[in-house]
Amino acid sequence: MATSGTDLGFEAELFKAADKLRGNLEPSEYKHVALGLIFLKYISEAFQLHRSKLLQEEYADLEDPEEYLAANVFWVPPEARWEYLQANAKRPRITFSDVNTGREREGDIGSLIDNAMDAIERANAAVLKDVLPKDYGRPQLDKTMLGELIDLFSRVGMHAQGQDSRDLLGRAYEYFISQFAGAEGRRGGEFFTPRSVVQTIVEMLGPQNGRVYDPCCGSGGMFVQSERFIENHQGRRSDIAIYGQERNHTTWKLCKMNLAVRGIDADIKWNNEGSFLNDAFPTLKFDFAMANPPFNISNWWQPQLEGDVRWQFGTPPAGNANFAWLQHIIHHLAPRGTAGVVLANGSMSSQQSGEGEIRKMMIERDVVDCMVALPGQLFYSTQIPACLWFLARDKGANGHRNRKGEFLFIDARNLGHMVDRTRREFSQSDIARITEAYHRWRAKPEAELGEHQDIPGFCRSVTLEEVRKHGHVLTPGRYVGAEDTNDDGISFEQRFGELRNQIQMQFAQSRELEEAVIEALAGVNSGV
C-alpha cells in the first residue's frame, strides 16, 4: 500500500530508508541519484493526476503535450513515466528506443533512467534544458540499488488526498538536500543554507511583492521560503518575480529542480565566472535581496574589477570578498529596496585592508538598518561565527517609520537549540522573537505592533552618534549590554548599598577571627 506522506516525519523516514541503499556511494554523489529520482517520481505522478482529470473531459486529447503545459504540468513522454520505469526496475537487460537517436538499443535500468531524463528535458526544454542528472547508466553505479530506490519511492504517494502535491514533494526534496548537506559537511554548506536562518531573513524582510534576488542562490532555499511567506500571508505567487545567479553548475541544477517541483517560476542564471566578474543582471534593480555568500573568500579579485561602479563605498580588499558582496547587493537594490545578508562576524568590526573605512561609509550614508549576531554551530559549512546584515536604501520608505540615523542591534547568540552533536537551529519562537523586535522597531505607531522596548542583553536602538563613538563597529554585543537576570524591582543603588554593608560586616568578622588566632598563638608560645 502506498504511503500517504501525511504522517509526521515522513521525510525523515523516507531519507533513512533511502540512505540504507546508498552502500559505499559518497553522499555528494548519491545526492544527485536520489534527488533526480524523487523529481522524476513527482512529475510523473503530477502528469498522471492531470491525465485522470482529462479523462473526464469529452474533447481532451490525452497525448497532446499542450493539454498539460497549459495547466503548468510537465509533459512526460511514455518512456519516462514512472510506471514504465517501475515495471523494468529489476530487469537486467531492457530493449528501448533511444530518444537521442530514435533507434532501438539494449541497456539496464540506469540506461532507461538516463533515457527518461533526456525525454523529459526535450519535452520541457524551456524550463528543464540541461538541468536533470543523466549519468545513471555509468558502470560504477549499482543497478540493484537503483531498482530498490525506485521501489522505495513507488511506495510514497506524493500526490496524497488533501495534500498540496508540490508542497509534499518539496518537503521531501528540501529535507533530502538538508540531510545531504549535513553529511557533506563543509562542501554541503556551499549549496544549502539552514532553513531556520533562511526563514529568519525572509520573515524580517517580508517579501510580499516585487522582484526578489539572490546573487549566490545555491539550491534556492531563499526563494522557496519567500514563496511560502507569501502563501502564509494570503498573497499571490504572481506578485513576486524571482531572479538568481549561481556559478556552480551542479548546484544550479539542484536549484532549478527545487524550484520546478514547487511550481516556482524563476530566472536563474549560471556562468562560470560568478556574480562579480559576469553579473547576469547588470541593469536590474530589486525590491528584496537575500544572500548567504561564501565567507571570507580570498581568491575573488581580478584586475578588471578596479573602478567598478558597484564599489560606491570603497574598493573592497582583494583578500576578502565580504564587502564586495555587500556592495554588489546594495548596487542592485531599487530606491526603496531592502536586503538581508549572512556574513562572517569579522565583517562587523574588521579594520584590515580598508574594510573599516567601507563599513564607516555605509553607516554614514545610512544604508545599514539592523545587525543580528547569530549563535555558533548554525551552519554545515563552517564553525566561523556569523551575523546578519539588514540593509535599506531608504529607511523612511515602504510604510515604515523614518529610521534615518538609527540602527537596531539584536544579539541572538543565546537563542537556538542543538539538533545533534554539531549543529544548532532556531525554533519558531526564536525566529519570532528576532523578527518581532525588528518589526516593532521600524513600525509606525498606527501599525499597532506595540512600542519598541530595548531589552538588555538582547536588543537596543542606537543613534548614529553612538555608533561613531564605537569607531563604526557594528557588533551587537557592544550596544545591547548585559542581560538583567535579577530584575526583582530593586534599584542598583539599593542593591549596591546592601552588598557594601554585607562585605563590611564580613571584613569585621574576619578581623575578629584574625585577632582570636593571634591571641591563641601567643598563649601557645608562652607555654613553651
Side-chain angles (χ1 to χ4, degrees), residues 137-152:
R138 65 188 187 275
Q140 299 86 351
L141 201 58
D142 184 350
K143 303 309 183 287
T144 301
M145 177 267 289
L146 284 181
E148 290 175 346
L149 264 181
I150 290 173
D151 280 351
L152 174 65

Side-chain angles (χ1 to χ4, degrees), residues 66-117:
E66 293 300 325
E67 294 276 13
Y68 300 86
L69 299 177
N72 202 26
V73 174
F74 290 114
W75 164 253
V76 182
E79 61 269 26
R81 295 170 191 171
W82 190 263
E83 64 269 22
Y84 174 67
L85 298 177
Q86 186 181 2
N88 289 284
K90 301 295 180 67
R91 293 178 60 190
R93 303 303 295 172
I94 308 149
T95 301
F96 62 93
S97 176
D98 191 313
V99 299
N100 292 312
T101 66
R103 299 173 183 169
E104 294 286 310
R105 74 179 182 94
E106 242 192 22
D108 52 29
I109 184 58
S111 306
L112 209 63
I113 295 171
D114 286 341
N115 197 57
M117 295 293 189

Side-chain angles (χ1 to χ4, degrees), residues 209-213 243 281-290 312-313 326-339 366-367 391-398:
N209 52 70
R211 291 172 171 169
V212 179
Y213 172 60
Y243 299 82
F281 309 100
T283 61
L284 284 187
K285 302 295 182 180
F286 303 97
D287 301 285
F288 304 95
M290 295 172 277
Q312 57 183 294
F313 303 100
L326 287 173
Q327 294 190 85
H328 173 88
I329 287 167
I330 293 170
H331 170 76
H332 275 292
L333 287 182
R336 292 179 294 278
T338 56
D366 218 9
V367 296
L391 311 170
R393 271 286 193 186
D394 183 348
K395 292 164 74 171
N398 301 320

Side-chain angles (χ1 to χ4, degrees), residues 456-469:
F458 178 65
C459 68
R460 183 164 172 253
S461 182
V462 171
T463 65
L464 174 58
E465 191 56 42
E466 185 170 349
V467 175
R468 285 171 176 162
K469 289 178 181 177

Side-chain angles (χ1 to χ4, degrees), residues 213-218 223 243-247 269 274-276 279 281 289-293 325 328-329 332 340-341:
Y213 172 60
D214 185 343
C216 42
C217 62
F223 303 138
Y243 299 82
Q245 183 166 354
E246 174 58 45
R247 69 178 300 176
K269 302 293 189 184
S275 293
F276 294 140
D279 188 349
F281 309 100
M290 295 172 277
N292 175 21
W325 285 115
H328 173 88
I329 287 167
H332 275 292
V341 186

